[in-house]
Amino acid sequence: KSVAVNSNFIKAKTAKLDAGDGIGLLGKMKVLSATILQSKYFTNAMAVVVLIDAYCTCWDIDARAEGKRAGLVAQTISDVCLALYTLELAMFFLVSGWVLLKDWVVQVDIAVVVCGFVEIILSDVVDGMFESVGLLRILRIMRIIRLSRLLRKTRNLRELQKLVRMMATCLKALMWSFVFCFMVMTVWAMLIVEWVYPRVQSLHDNEGLFEDCEQCVRATSSVMNANLLLFKTVIAGDSWGLIAVPVIEHYPATALLFMGSLLTLVFGVLNLIVAVVVDNFAETRQRE
């Protein structure tokens, strides 16, 4: 037999924390801070603050490059932005507690805020005493890191955030790739110094070549100079034939060094670096 049950049920309302629910002052501040931090309007407003602060930072850098000081308006706006960063960070700690210190992004935010206050103190109190050692310049460079906050403030830039996350995953691979590339370049640089430098000197002294290019003679005089030459000509692609072509024309056997370094670095090492980075991206995507 089928049984039908009919009754009038009372729907329970969702409980909401209001200012008068009997919680203490700290609890009210936590509720208010959580409400503000979860608001999309506050997030977008902080993104605008980051952009304004970045503009003021550029303004200050340009002014100091000309030997001047940024105007009072730019300094005031920058200080207000720093105060807003501090207020936002304090609200995060009020809501989530000290567990936030485990997040490296929060650690970067703390470093930026602390460096901002140290810069203000040193600029106002010590009156340029640390300019000679470059301490203030280092603290001012930390302002640039504030731009990283923009990626967390704009939820609509998901593609850009994904690019940054993927870039962060391959930093270790890029670092070791640079080390490997430097090792290969150093091997070729040692061969260039041993074999090419005497011939470049002979062409300069006897044939009059490279008279208007002193750097061309120095480029093969030491291992580090030869490394710079390979990086400039092979990696960056800047005037490869300026030194290589005249030397090869007079000493064809040196083509083994110039062509060999070009083939191994461009078609070997650089393509291998790209393959490793792509493979790293694929592994990260599979783990996610």
Side-chain angles (χ1 to χ4, degrees):
K1 296 180 180 180
S2 59
V3 179
V5 179
N6 296 321
S7 179
N8 294 325
F9 296 96
I10 300 175
K11 296 182 179 179
K13 296 183 178 179
T14 304
K16 294 183 179 179
L17 286 176
D18 296 324
D21 285 343
I23 59 177
L25 178 61
L26 182 61
K28 294 178 183 179
M29 294 176 62
K30 286 184 178 181
V31 173
L32 180 61
S33 299
T35 304
I36 293 175
L37 292 175
Q38 293 174 359
S39 172
K40 65 178 182 180
Y41 300 106
F42 177 77
T43 302
N44 294 332
M46 288 303 299
V48 174
V49 169
V50 173
L51 291 175
I52 295 174
D53 186 30
Y55 176 78
C56 292
T57 301
C58 296
W59 187 357
D60 180 62
I61 291 174
D62 290 342
R64 285 187 288 106
E66 296 177 357
K68 304 176 183 177
R69 300 193 67 176
L72 182 61
V73 176
Q75 186 62 42
T76 303
I77 294 176
S78 181
D79 293 344
V80 171
C81 293
L82 180 61
L84 292 176
Y85 296 155
T86 307
L87 178 62
E88 181 196 22
L89 197 59
M91 288 193 296
F92 272 117
F93 275 104
L94 182 62
V95 173
S96 301
W98 296 104
V99 71
L100 282 177
L101 291 176
K102 298 180 180 179
D103 189 356
W104 68 272
V105 177
V106 177
Q107 295 174 5
V108 172
D109 289 345
I110 294 175
V112 169
V113 171
V114 171
C115 289
F117 282 109
V118 172
E119 177 192 349
I120 292 175
I121 294 173
L122 293 181
S123 299
D124 296 339
V125 177
V126 238
D127 194 16
M129 175 181 177
F130 289 89
E131 283 288 348
S132 58
V133 296
L135 179 58
L136 282 179
R137 293 183 182 273
I138 297 175
L139 295 174
R140 286 162 179 163
I141 289 174
M142 288 294 293
R143 291 186 186 180
I144 304 174
I145 305 179
R146 297 180 188 177
L147 284 173
S148 63
R149 300 172 59 92
L150 184 63
L151 299 175
R152 297 194 298 116
K153 300 303 173 188
T154 50
R155 299 173 183 173
N156 297 326
L157 301 178
R158 295 180 179 178
E159 292 78 8
L160 181 57
Q161 293 175 353
K162 185 175 181 181
L163 285 174
V164 174
R165 286 197 303 268
M166 298 299 288
M167 182 67 180
T169 59
C170 73
L171 284 179
K172 185 177 180 180
L174 288 177
M175 182 189 69
W176 287 113
S177 299
F178 172 78
V179 172
F180 178 66
C181 182
F182 180 76
M183 291 172 58
V184 176
M185 281 197 306
T186 302
V187 172
W188 286 110
M190 290 187 292
L191 294 175
I192 287 175
V193 174
E194 290 287 346
W195 199 4
V196 176
Y197 178 60
R199 289 158 177 78
V200 170
Q201 267 191 324
S202 176
L203 291 175
H204 178 265
D205 297 336
N206 301 328
E207 303 291 337
L209 293 178
F210 310 120
E211 288 186 351
D212 55 345
C213 181
E214 295 182 1
Q215 198 275 334
C216 296
V217 180
R218 295 197 313 268
T220 58
S221 61
S222 67
V223 175
M224 292 309 298
N225 284 335
N227 265 320
L228 179 60
L229 172 67
L230 290 174
F231 186 85
K232 181 184 74 170
T233 58
V234 178
I235 305 298
D238 180 22
S239 303
W240 180 84
L242 182 63
I243 298 176
V245 171
V247 175
I248 292 174
E249 287 179 346
H250 289 80
Y251 304 99
T254 57
L256 295 175
L257 291 179
F258 290 108
M259 297 295 183
S261 60
L262 177 66
L263 292 176
T264 54
L265 290 173
V266 174
F267 298 103
V269 175
L270 295 184
N271 286 327
L272 184 61
I273 292 174
V274 173
V276 170
V277 171
V278 172
D279 185 65
N280 197 358
F281 285 163
E283 290 181 0
T284 303
R285 188 175 183 84
Q286 288 179 356
R287 287 196 300 265
E288 293 178 355

